[in-house]
Amino acid sequence: MTTTDDTPVRFDTKIAVLLREDLETWQRLNVTAFLVSGLGTELPEVIGEPYADADDTPYLPMFRQPVLVFEGTRETLTAAHGRALSRSLPRAVFTTDLFATGNDRDNRAAVRAVGTGRLDLAGLAVYGPRNAVDKILKGARMHP
């Protein structure tokens, strides 16, 4: 992250979520929430300081930088997943099978049951250097 007192904060890293374009609105929101939840648990550097309001009521810390949300076709998502794997960047996946499960144990079992190349991806979250994340997202567009 690069900043001075009078310049805007610009991050050297990027947090991005790529959603399949054919998801329902509720699915887009659910997938995004699930995907980003994994980043903070494994990458403490993405988490900022706790919040407090003027009355000193405390609030949980959040990501220190924006989460950019993109969308693309099934093929775009599959290609991005392959590029994220080849670059060994931290990533989280959400497969369409997870829409039919109701808990963490069953979610993990559903992903575990399918080989990497056959995952029916609904979404992907990735974190890393901005230029590497941009290359992974090639062909995706900002979510409207």
Side-chain angles (χ1 to χ4, degrees):
M1 178 173 59
T2 311
T3 184
T4 65
D5 290 346
D6 57 350
T7 61
V9 175
R10 183 161 169 86
F11 294 95
D12 298 330
T13 57
K14 184 180 271 188
I15 298 171
V17 173
L18 175 56
L19 303 172
R20 209 169 70 203
E21 65 185 1
D22 62 347
L23 298 179
E24 299 289 331
T25 301
W26 73 267
Q27 291 174 317
R28 291 170 186 255
L29 296 169
N30 186 268
V31 170
T32 300
F34 266 91
L35 286 171
V36 298
S37 70
L39 294 177
T41 60
E42 289 294 316
L43 304 161
E45 69 271 16
V46 301
I47 304 297
E49 296 296 319
Y51 287 72
D53 62 26
D55 297 322
D56 275 338
T57 304
Y59 301 97
L60 295 172
M62 296 185 280
F63 290 126
R64 67 185 179 105
Q65 66 190 90
V67 175
L68 302 173
V69 181
F70 297 82
E71 69 174 6
T73 64
R74 179 186 308 264
E75 295 77 20
T76 300
L77 194 54
T78 299
H81 179 243
R83 289 189 291 266
L85 292 173
S86 72
R87 287 175 172 76
S88 300
L89 288 183
R91 68 219 162 254
V93 295
F94 193 104
T95 66
T96 58
D97 295 331
L98 303 188
F99 291 125
T101 60
N103 61 73
D104 186 53
R105 181 191 68 230
D106 292 342
N107 287 351
R108 284 182 283 111
V111 174
R112 174 61 108 179
V114 180
T116 304
R118 293 189 352 261
L119 292 172
D120 186 13
L121 297 169
L124 169 74
V126 65
Y127 170 76
R130 287 169 29 133
N131 62 342
V133 172
D134 289 342
K135 288 176 183 173
I136 287 168
L137 297 174
K138 182 180 177 186
R141 59 194 170 277
M142 286 295 291
H143 191 282

